[in-house]
Amino acid sequence: MSSENGVTGEGAEGAPPEQLALIRESVRKAKVPRAKPRTWRGAALAKQLPVARVLVDKGVLHLDRYFDYAVPEELDADAQPGVRVRVRFGAGRGRVRDGRREGGGLIDGFLIERLAESDYSGPLAALAQVVSPERVLSEELLGLARAVADRYAGSLADVLQLAVPPRSARAEQRPSPAPLPPPGAPQAGSWGRYERGSAFLESLATGGAPRAVWNALPGPEWSEELARAVAATLSSGRGALVVVPDGRAVARVDAALTAVLGEGRHAVLTADAGPEKRYREWLAVRRGAVRAVVGTRAAMFAPVQDLGLVALWDDGDDSHSEPHAPQPHAREVLLLRAAQDKCAFLLGSWSCTVEAAQLVESGWAGPLVASREQVRAVAPLVRTVGDQDLARDEAARAARLPTLAWQAVREGLRHGPVLVQVPRRGYVPRMACGNCRAPARCRHCSGPLEGQESGAALKCGWCGREEPAWHCPECGGFRLRAQVVGARRTAEELGRAFPAVPVRTSGREHVLDTVPGAPALVVSTPGAEPVAEGGYAAALLLDGWAMLGRPDLRAGEDALRRWIAAAALVRGQGAGGTVVVVAEPTLRPVQALVRWDPVGHAVRELGERAELGFPPVSRMAAVSGTGEALAGFLSAVELPVEAEVLGPVPLPVTTGGGPRRVGAPPVGEQWERVLVRVPPGRGAALASALKAAQAARMAARGEGVVWVRVDPPDIG
DNA sequence: AGCACGCCGACT
DNA sequence: GTCGGCGTGCTC
């Protein structure tokens, strides 16, 4: 070890650390060249490993650089890897005031590791404070955070902000309960309904790391099935983590875990628990007192010790997408965790995303599915009402309520509650074929065509090219129509049509958890459907057009997922359960609903995405900023050679007032956006290029900010 | 981002 | 000579 860089503990006999700055001050006055490293001669430093490598928590500024600090002797014991520290961080060589050296202000950081010496050639400042001896940042969590930062071209500090909850001293003071010994292996329960279900549980219980995409049968059993997978993993002596989309799902899995495991074996991590309780639960997990976790998306980082299983429910739900930078998706984070910890992976849903299908198609995960007979036995009968039916149906055109729907509701109400799903308001209409309703796409890059004012040319939402002579590649038609919105009124009319029956509503403001099994009309927006005791007798899914006409790539998948989520609450067709969907029966998502084949739908969708160069087969990133800032960024970034830049296109100007959209430019500023697309396998190269350019831009003080978003959710 | 350092023109 | 303009670059 070199005494040149000082921090070797060699100078313990000299001046106290505060005087270091004075020493350096006099050195400077003596005009010794500054390049020569000076020593911390005289500082009372830790005798072993006197250097602390620290991640300074200061936004995007540093982009994953560590800074070395000297460890004063009195902090030696507490300054362990993983603790929160405070350090002085600021410009210049520091001023001297009252005999103390003062850099910038005190800022927070994490102690990453202790070293014998630093590779930094200047003098080291001392750690100012160890905030608490609790080692919150484990090596695994750091590795995961780093992988997530790389995947999303974000900074480590940003990811750690998502991964480590704010400290609460009171929560730290309390001792966590003593860990319980592993439970015995559970029964397979209803996992026997799936072809390889029992084998999957067996593998978990014997320490294996199976990976599966699980297409769950409709009905309420899924939460118990998840709980049994957790129990099997615990019985192997390992920990397990379950991430679900919302508080209602957490409550279901929580109850199932209590039923299967008993009290005290699992923690619940949700954002709405309040900071102290949340940190207390998190600490119990970190300390190894609790080995099983269920929670919403922030729990994806839960520091479960000796992780044996990560499980995710309903990855198509967009609440799995973290809104804070760098906006990681729970599915991708859990994929990274499964790879890093070599643990089992379970991705379950009633429906199926293209990403899930890709995991199976690529061979990374196996399918966990029930036989067609099983599906037919538990799924409701699905019927459709398309345009032709509506055209023939004069009464329906007036009331917008088709006869078939009317009959299904009336018949259903004789046997129990009937669910009516109405879409939420607020999606942008885009252009589709007026004849067959296929979305109108750009012939160059397959982006969505956006309608201008009537008469004006169509323009691509991705590359900005005009389309002067569009015709439909599906049916040859060349009439366009904007997709229409609006359905709440239909439900109100429905309520008036059945005056003897109570109408209950469940939506954003007021979400019902369950409804009794008595006849009632239950009007709900997607995602807010209450569970009915004994299942709904029937469900009516209104305005499929609105759902399918949504601008983004996932319109079909999303519509199917929402329909299936509602239909999964309906009794099986053997028990008379019926679903009526008002949508064209020739459309692919509608057919998939009728056949109850979400996996087949996702597989076909995946094939198409591969052909068109869409994610998740290729990877995309969106970069946005003012025209000037964007141009500057694009001229500086060294993209992988395969990368394709689409655009720029102007973004809609954010207007003041009303709810601010996440990811929208500052109010009143005209921003532009490009999409960058790379082929399979080049995602990491793309992310690293974008990150490097961002970092260089910060250092060079480039004009204006650009936002980088890997896996943009709204690509048309 | 702050903040100090440094290399140029007008002042006691 | 030296006080201080803001252009550059660093922060352990």
Side-chain angles (χ1 to χ4, degrees), chain A residues 30 41 51 69 81 90 165 183 190 236 294 335 348 356 397 400-401 426 513 659 692 700 708:
Chain A
R41 210 179 299 282
V51 177
Y69 285 81
S190 51
S236 75
V294 60
L335 282 169
R397 279 151 69 95
R400 285 197 30 76
L401 187 63
D513 191 49
V708 172

Side-chain angles (χ1 to χ4, degrees), chain A residues 150-356:
Chain A
D150 289 346
R151 165 76 171 72
Y152 285 95
S155 78
L156 186 55
D158 279 348
V159 179
L160 287 178
Q161 200 137 38
L162 304 175
V164 181
R167 181 173 113 97
S168 145
R170 208 176 326 165
E172 259 175 24
Q173 247 78 82
R174 289 211 200 180
S176 297
L180 295 168
Q187 301 294 308
S190 51
W191 276 109
R193 302 185 298 166
Y194 300 91
E195 279 160 11
R196 307 194 60 249
S198 305
F200 185 78
L201 278 222
E202 181 66 22
S203 176
L204 291 177
T206 55
R211 299 186 292 240
V213 170
W214 163 40
N215 187 228
L217 287 164
E221 293 86 358
W222 63 276
S223 52
E224 192 195 308
E225 284 158 0
L226 275 173
R228 287 187 190 278
V230 168
T233 311
L234 291 191
S235 77
S236 75
R238 299 173 297 170
L241 167 63
V242 180
V243 179
V244 299
D246 54 39
R248 290 201 308 165
V250 169
R252 301 230 157 85
V253 178
D254 179 21
L257 283 169
T258 304
V260 172
L261 293 171
E263 303 280 350
R265 285 198 186 270
H266 71 279
V268 174
L269 299 181
T270 51
D272 46 47
E276 188 192 330
K277 179 157 191 289
R278 187 174 160 219
Y279 188 51
R280 191 169 66 233
E281 294 279 293
W282 190 89
L283 275 180
V285 175
R286 168 69 190 110
R287 291 167 174 173
V290 180
R291 320 214 57 190
V293 172
V294 60
T296 44
R297 67 170 178 258
M300 63 191 170
F301 292 107
V304 177
Q305 289 195 5
D306 194 11
L307 192 59
L309 168 70
V310 290
L312 183 67
W313 175 253
D314 199 14
D315 64 316
D317 190 307
D318 53 19
S319 57
H320 283 306
S321 208
E322 171 61 56
H324 297 108
Q327 293 157 280
H329 191 284
R331 178 189 54 243
E332 305 305 313
V333 172
L334 294 186
L335 282 169
L336 291 169
R337 274 194 101 153
Q340 185 171 294
D341 294 4
K342 298 180 174 58
C343 70
F345 176 88
L346 179 60
L347 178 54
S349 177
W350 283 326
S351 195
C352 187
T353 60
V354 278
E355 287 84 358

Side-chain angles (χ1 to χ4, degrees), chain A residues 354-372:
Chain A
V354 278
E355 287 84 358
Q358 190 185 32
L359 293 175
V360 175
E361 292 288 296
S362 73
W364 190 84
L368 204 46
V369 293
S371 66
R372 291 309 301 172

Side-chain angles (χ1 to χ4, degrees), chain A residues 583-648:
Chain A
E584 199 57 43
T586 55
L587 292 173
R588 188 191 286 172
V590 183
Q591 292 187 347
L593 176 67
V594 171
R595 291 199 314 276
W596 206 279
D597 183 22
V599 175
H601 179 267
V603 168
R604 274 187 296 279
E605 196 85 343
L606 178 67
E608 210 159 89
R609 301 259 190 109
E611 239 168 73
L612 297 172
F614 284 157
V617 180
S618 48
R619 185 158 301 168
M620 278 197 184
V623 186
S624 45
T626 63
E628 197 187 3
L630 192 53
F633 182 90
L634 289 173
S635 65
V637 65
E638 290 177 39
L639 293 172
V641 285
E642 308 91 333
E644 229 182 314
V645 178
L646 308 169

